[in-house]
Structure formats: structure tokens, C-alpha cells
Amino acid sequence: MDLAKISKLTQDIAEAIKAAFEIDVEIVDRRINRVAATGFARNRVGQKMLYGTASTEVIAKGQPIVIQSMKHEVCQVCPGLGECTYVGGIVSPIFYEGVVIGTINLVAYDQEKMDTINNARNGIINFSEKMSSLIEAKLKEEEYLEQKLTFLEELKVIANINPYGVLITDEVGSIKYGNNLAFSMLNEKELDLTGMNLFELFIDLPKEIYYSHHDLDESEIVLKNKANDKTILAEYKRIIKEGYFLGVIITFKCFLSETNSRNKDSQRIRINDIKGQSAVIQELKLNAIKFAKTDSTILITGENGTGKDLFAEAIHQESLRNKSPFVIINCGALPENLIESELFGYEKGAFTGASTIGKKGKFELANNGTIFLDEIGTMPLHLQTRLLRVIQNREIDRIGGSESTKLDVRIIAATNENLFSLVEQGKFRRDLYYRLHVIPLHLPPLRERKDDLSLLTNGFIMKFNELLSKSAGDLTAEAMEILMSHNWPGNIRELENVMEYAMNSIPANTEYIGVNHLPAYLQSFYFTNASTPPSSHQDIIKINLNNYEEEIIRHLLEIYGKSTTGKQQVAKKMNISQATLYRKLKQYNV
């Protein structure tokens, strides 16, 4: 045990002994390094004693020694005999759990001080023993605190590899600790949330969690964040120790919009609600209505943002199962170690951290209804085998369960990947592919159905007029020309984002959306390709090309991602080299 850890205390003890006996003091550790001192040795704290033979003797034998003159046997074997500045003194051991870890040395530099030591010998030894006990107690306290801090750091590591967000509160709801995922889900910083009360953070937090006088079983709750209106599915666990209520652990499982059934009271989407008048969309809608009446498995394919989720729900609403649950699970949004339990559920005690009452999986929740497996191409191979069995036998086995449960559930899967290509690469089971590929529906990208652009934009204008209290009726001819000329790599989702941006840009009473209301990356296309801006736009402020270029880069990165492959695609789209792209990323601090 290192005495240097409590250097302030050892110095205070040295000063206290000197004040009591008017004798200079040196405290040394097992390596004969001074950790505290008074008098002229004070300037040598942190240095090794030149000889330290007496301290070495006491550390070895564990008994105090009194040196009255240089004739003492310890002095006789000291290599510093004849050069020592001490006349004598008392050297007492410092114990830590029965082991000597240093010494307390009261030293006399003249005979007068040596006489003082002789006269108070017993008192000095007793006082030194008490100071040794004080040092031992302080070291144990430091060790305990160090262990607690280490344990806390270990708990933080464990909490931060937990696939769920976690908040720990005191008995009235004030946040004491949270893991990184919790703060990320709440879009808050740790410093901003620590100490905040949960009742300030969430709408309709059940008060009985904190103010009930009875023990409550752990339970799922729905929490709505006051700051951003996001709705989170959570679990709570009350912390009870020796009958006393100490606080609550809140576990954030997911945003409800990602993996849970849609609210029964929300607006239901039917096939006719899907906007599109192009021939390809009309045919798709007719087929969707026809196939909705059967229970056959449907595989919806198409690029990101083409509306696969809307078609899946519309098919469910057109089916005979529309009074039963429509359950959505995004296979790409869940960690691999969670997909199995989310899909198939588990029995109580199936694994460490499992609920004490077990849990239904999404297939059981969707019984008699429809389950929508989005991003099916990301499902791990070992789970593809279990999914194949579910499709073949219409039964599931919970994790840790011993009996199979029969199911009546319709499966709709979707992917933006080429599943057949994944089969050829050995990344997707061939037999599962054919089980899913019973009724294929392919949604075309927006660039192949531009006849629908006007209808889609009008639909978004109506939507955002209501949400943003605006009064726009249409786009100007120039603005629509830009939309028709754009390639729409982000498909309908990109179009919706563009229209939301435009609707936020226009003043409240504006009737038309013009070029100057569109995002900068689309404006730049207009001014780059128009030899002279139309007279109706002469009042538009000159474009800052650098700002537009930066926005174009940011927009393309959102579409293709920030990986090396994504950046290669961005550079290709901008018709520049990768080196140029990286230089611009640095220039714009992207």
C-alpha cells in the first residue's frame, strides 16, 4: 500500500507530532522514500533517504527502536556512520493489515532534543502507534473508495454495452446515472440530464412508480418526451433494499414507431391512399388489392424511400386480417443479439437479464394478423433457419421454451437489396428466398415514375399546409421544372424532405413555392443550367456557390452514407475525384 496516496494526511500527522513534542519528524515508506517531514528535511519530501538503516531495521522486524547515540547496534552497521547528522531518535513502524509499510521517525539533531525524546519516550511511542492506526484507517478508506470507483467504471462499461438505454433515478425521480444509449435516444447530453427529474422530461409518467406504498412488479410503460414528442417503450424496476425504496431503473427498449404495432386509433392506410397515376403504380395497386385477399407470403422489393412500408400496411388493411394486429419489425435496426428474442420471444429465466415473466415475440403479437419484416436481407443466417421453420410449420419456439406455439400469421417481407444475388453469394438461404418470393411486388424508383411527381408534391403541400399552418397551393413552373429534372436518388422520401424544407421556407401567406424556396442543391441546378434567370426571379439573392456545394455534399452523404464506399458514390455523382471530395470535406468541415 502506497503512503504517497495520502501524502496530505501524513504531512498533517508529521506537523501534529512536532507540535505535540517539539521534535522534528520524518515519515518514510517501505522504499525508504520520504512522504512527509518537518524542519530542514521538509524540502526533501519525495526523495529517498541517504541511508535509512534504522527504518529498514524497523520495517524488517516490526518493532520500534530508540537510538540514544551512534553506539547503537543499528548505527554500527550503517554505511553512513560518522557522516550522519542525527544524534538519535525513535523509529516506529506503520502497519497496514499486519504488514509494515513504513516508519514514523522522530529525530534529534542535538543532545537537548535527544533528552526531550528520552523523557517522553513512552508517550512518543504510544502516540506514534495511534498515528499509525490513523494512517491505516485512511489507507483503507482510500482503498475502499478506489474499489468503488473501479466498480462504478466497470458498471458503466457493462451499462454501455447494454442494447437498451438505461436511466437510474433516486426515490423522487431525479436522474442519477444513464448510459450513452439513453442520452442518445433522448437526444440529450449527460450533463444536461443528470439531476433532472423524470417528471420534467416525460409526459404522463405514472406517478405510482414513485409514490405507491406497495411493491410494484416490473412493467412496460409508454413515455412521451416533452422536448421532441418522441414516444418510447420502456420498462421500470423499483430498487428496494431492506424494505426501503431507493429509486427506479428505467430501461428504454425502442421508439414505438420502429418495432411496435401502429396505434389502432391512427389513420389507416388503404391502397387508394397511395398516390400515383402512372401505369406502373396503377398496376401495382390493382395487384396489391388482389393479393391482399389471400394469406400468401409477399416479398416487396425496391430502393430505399420507394414506399415499401406503406404498401405493406395497405395490403394488411385491405385483407381479412385488418381487425388484427399489424406488427412491424425492422431487421436492420436491431442489434443481432436482439433479433431472435424480438421475433420469437423468450421464457422466464431464459438468459441473464430476461424478464421474470417471459416475453412474447413479434410473431406471437402478430397472431391472426400480419407481420412486416422490413430489411429482411440483413437477417443473420442462423435466424434465417428459424424463420424458414416458422413459414413452413406456422409455429414458433420461444428462447428457453420446451413447447412449440401454433400461429396464424401472414408474412410480408421487404428489402432494398437483390436477395437472389445474396443467395448466390451464400449470404441468404436459397430455400428461404423461395419461401418469401411467393408473391413478388417490385416498387419502381421515383425517377421511373415522374408522371406522379405533380400528384405527390400536391399531396405533400396539403400535408405540410396543415402541419405548418401555411397556405401554399402549388409550385411555380420553374420550381416544378427543377423537380422534374432531378434524378431523385432518395426517391419519395427525398421528395418529402424537399417539400418539407420548401414549406418551412415560404412565408405564412405565400401562394406559390418558387425556386428560391427549394434546398440549395436544387437551386444550384437551376441557376447552373439557366442562361438567364426568368424575370420573375430577378429579386432572388445571388447564390453563394460554396454554400450550395457544401449542401450538395451533405445531401449526397445522407443518401449514400459516410463509409468509403459511400464517398466513392458521392464523388462519382459529383463527377469529381475522391481526392477532390476529401479536400472539399475538409474545406467545409463536413
Side-chain angles (χ1 to χ4, degrees):
M1 186 55 63
D2 191 359
L3 286 171
K5 289 183 177 180
I6 55 169
S7 57
K8 184 179 184 306
L9 176 69
T10 54
Q11 185 60 42
D12 289 344
I13 287 174
E15 301 285 355
I17 295 174
K18 181 173 182 180
F21 298 101
E22 296 184 351
I23 304 293
D24 278 318
V25 180
E26 295 179 75
I27 299 178
V28 301
D29 62 16
R30 285 184 60 85
R31 297 180 295 275
I32 318 299
N33 292 322
R34 291 183 181 87
V35 294
T38 64
F40 81 91
R42 177 72 184 270
N43 295 326
R44 298 180 182 177
V45 170
Q47 298 178 11
K48 192 177 184 69
M49 294 183 73
L50 190 57
Y51 303 113
T53 307
S55 289
T56 303
E57 179 77 7
V58 171
I59 289 170
K61 295 184 177 180
Q63 296 293 328
I65 59 175
V66 180
I67 301 174
Q68 298 187 24
S69 70
M70 296 302 102
K71 294 181 180 180
H72 193 282
E73 59 184 15
V74 169
C75 296
Q76 294 302 306
V77 297
C78 178
L81 183 64
E83 300 178 9
C84 185
T85 57
Y86 305 139
V87 172
I90 295 179
V91 182
S92 301
I94 301 172
F95 288 97
Y96 183 82
E97 295 185 344
V99 177
V100 182
I101 60 170
T103 63
I104 299 174
N105 307 345
L106 277 79
V107 296
Y109 296 104
D110 55 46
Q111 191 57 47
E112 181 183 352
K113 294 298 183 185
M114 190 65 235
D115 292 341
T116 302
I117 290 174
N118 280 327
N119 292 334
R121 175 190 303 187
N122 292 334
I124 289 173
I125 292 175
N126 289 336
F127 195 80
S128 296
E129 287 177 356
K130 288 182 172 56
M131 294 300 101
S132 173
S133 298
L134 178 60
I135 289 172
E136 181 179 24
K138 183 63 176 178
L139 284 171
K140 286 183 176 180
E141 179 186 332
E142 290 292 319
E143 183 181 30
Y144 176 77
L145 289 174
E146 192 173 287
Q147 289 173 349
K148 285 292 184 183
L149 289 172
T150 301
F151 182 61
L152 181 59
E153 290 302 316
E154 291 169 349
L155 283 180
K156 286 183 177 181
V157 172
I158 294 170
N160 281 321
I161 62 175
N162 191 311
Y164 298 125
V166 176
L167 284 183
I168 300 175
T169 74
D170 63 14
E171 70 278 8
V172 296
S174 294
I175 298 169
K176 296 165 59 179
Y177 172 74
N179 67 358
N180 294 336
L181 182 55
F183 297 125
S184 176
M185 290 180 75
L186 296 172
N187 198 26
E188 296 280 359
K189 295 180 181 178
E190 181 174 358
L191 288 176
D192 294 337
L193 279 187
T194 302
M196 181 183 287
N197 196 283
L198 284 186
F199 290 98
E200 299 175 39
L201 192 62
F202 296 113
I203 299 171
D204 298 331
L205 178 71
K207 293 183 179 179
E208 61 270 19
I209 296 176
Y210 288 93
Y211 302 125
S212 172
H213 296 293
H214 306 286
D215 286 343
L216 300 174
D217 293 330
E218 62 182 28
S219 176
E220 287 190 340
I221 52 176
V222 175
L223 301 174
K224 192 167 185 179
N225 194 328
K226 289 182 178 180
N228 54 29
D229 273 353
K230 285 188 176 179
T231 303
I232 296 173
L233 181 66
E235 275 187 2
Y236 71 85
K237 179 75 174 177
R238 285 160 57 92
I239 305 170
I240 308 290
K241 183 177 181 182
E242 298 177 355
Y244 290 97
F245 172 51
L246 302 179
V248 173
I249 300 175
I250 304 283
T251 305
F252 301 144
K253 304 181 72 175
C254 60
F255 293 114
L256 284 178
S257 59
E258 289 181 3
T259 58
N260 286 323
S261 304
R262 291 182 183 267
N263 191 309
K264 292 180 180 178
D265 297 326
S266 65
Q267 184 180 4
R268 295 183 173 186
I269 296 175
R270 308 298 289 260
I271 294 295
N272 286 335
D273 295 325
I274 297 175
K275 299 188 182 299
Q277 57 191 12
S278 59
V280 63
I281 290 298
Q282 291 290 353
E283 184 179 358
L284 268 172
K285 290 164 72 171
L286 287 173
N287 285 334
I289 291 175
K290 178 174 63 176
F291 297 136
K293 306 305 179 184
T294 74
D295 287 333
S296 298
T297 301
I298 293 178
L299 178 63
I300 304 175
T301 59
E303 295 177 7
N304 282 334
T306 50
K308 297 186 290 295
D309 54 339
L310 295 182
F311 265 90
E313 182 172 358
I315 290 169
H316 169 75
Q317 297 300 345
E318 298 288 351
S319 75
L320 300 177
R321 298 173 177 268
N322 61 8
K323 303 297 183 185
S324 298
F326 175 66
V327 177
I328 307 169
I329 187 161
N330 188 325
C331 301
L334 289 173
E336 185 173 330
N337 61 331
L338 283 184
I339 297 178
E340 187 172 11
S341 63
E342 287 293 315
L343 283 175
F344 308 117
Y346 56 81
E347 297 292 350
K348 62 179 181 180
F351 50 83
T352 302
S355 169
T356 55
I357 58 175
K359 180 185 173 183
K360 287 184 177 181
K362 295 297 183 273
F363 271 97
E364 285 185 81
L365 293 174
N367 198 22
N368 298 317
T370 304
I371 189 167
F372 176 45
L373 303 175
D374 200 6
E375 295 191 37
I376 188 69
T378 64
M379 180 174 284
L381 278 169
H382 72 280
L383 292 183
Q384 292 177 25
T385 304
R386 291 200 63 180
L387 178 59
L388 181 66
R389 182 172 179 269
V390 173
I391 297 174
Q392 289 174 332
N393 303 331
R394 298 294 169 176
E395 61 182 25
I396 60 106
D397 298 320
R398 286 189 182 184
I399 299 173
S402 56
E403 296 181 0
S404 298
T405 302
K406 287 289 184 182
L407 293 175
D408 176 18
V409 62
R410 199 229 185 116
I411 297 172
I412 301 177
T415 181
N416 63 345
E417 299 183 82
N418 186 328
L419 283 190
F420 189 76
S421 176
L422 294 180
V423 169
E424 295 297 308
Q425 298 172 40
K427 296 179 180 179
F428 201 85
R429 288 184 63 103
R430 187 178 297 272
D431 45 7
L432 177 59
Y433 169 74
Y434 287 114
R435 285 287 183 181
L436 293 173
H437 200 261
V438 178
I439 299 177
L441 292 178
H442 178 72
L443 304 190
L446 183 55
R447 61 183 174 274
E448 294 178 9
R449 47 175 293 207
K450 288 189 178 179
D451 291 350
D452 294 331
L453 255 177
S454 179
L455 191 64
L456 290 168
T457 53
N458 287 336
F460 290 134
I461 288 173
M462 292 174 61
K463 172 182 176 179
F464 293 118
N465 271 338
E466 182 178 349
L467 290 176
L468 304 174
S469 300
K470 297 295 176 74
S471 57
D474 205 347
L475 289 90
T476 63
E478 294 83 3
M480 179 55 73
E481 181 186 349
I482 291 175
L483 300 191
M484 291 295 292
S485 301
H486 187 53
N487 202 37
W488 300 108
N491 293 297
I492 299 173
R493 188 175 297 131
E494 182 187 0
L495 176 62
E496 183 175 12
N497 290 343
V498 166
M499 295 309 299
E500 184 173 2
Y501 177 94
M503 293 294 288
N504 275 284
S505 298
I506 62 173
N509 296 313
T510 302
E511 185 177 357
Y512 289 99
I513 297 171
V515 174
N516 54 316
H517 301 130
L518 298 177
Y521 73 94
L522 292 176
Q523 287 190 44
S524 64
F525 170 86
Y526 173 75
F527 285 107
T528 301
N529 290 277
S531 56
T532 304
S535 58
S536 60
H537 291 83
Q538 293 297 330
D539 59 337
I540 296 175
I541 300 172
K542 278 190 174 182
I543 294 174
N544 183 325
L545 291 177
N546 282 345
N547 288 345
Y548 289 145
E549 186 174 55
E550 178 184 347
E551 187 165 344
I552 291 169
I553 291 173
R554 290 184 184 276
H555 174 74
L556 291 175
L557 285 172
E558 287 180 6
I559 294 172
Y560 296 107
K562 298 178 182 178
S563 64
T564 301
T565 303
K567 290 172 183 174
Q568 289 172 348
Q569 291 293 323
V570 171
K572 185 177 179 181
K573 286 289 179 182
M574 294 185 68
N575 197 27
I576 59 177
S577 68
Q578 276 186 263
T580 300
L581 176 62
Y582 279 108
R583 188 171 65 252
K584 291 181 181 294
L585 290 175
K586 184 176 181 180
Q587 176 186 346
Y588 300 132
N589 195 28
V590 177

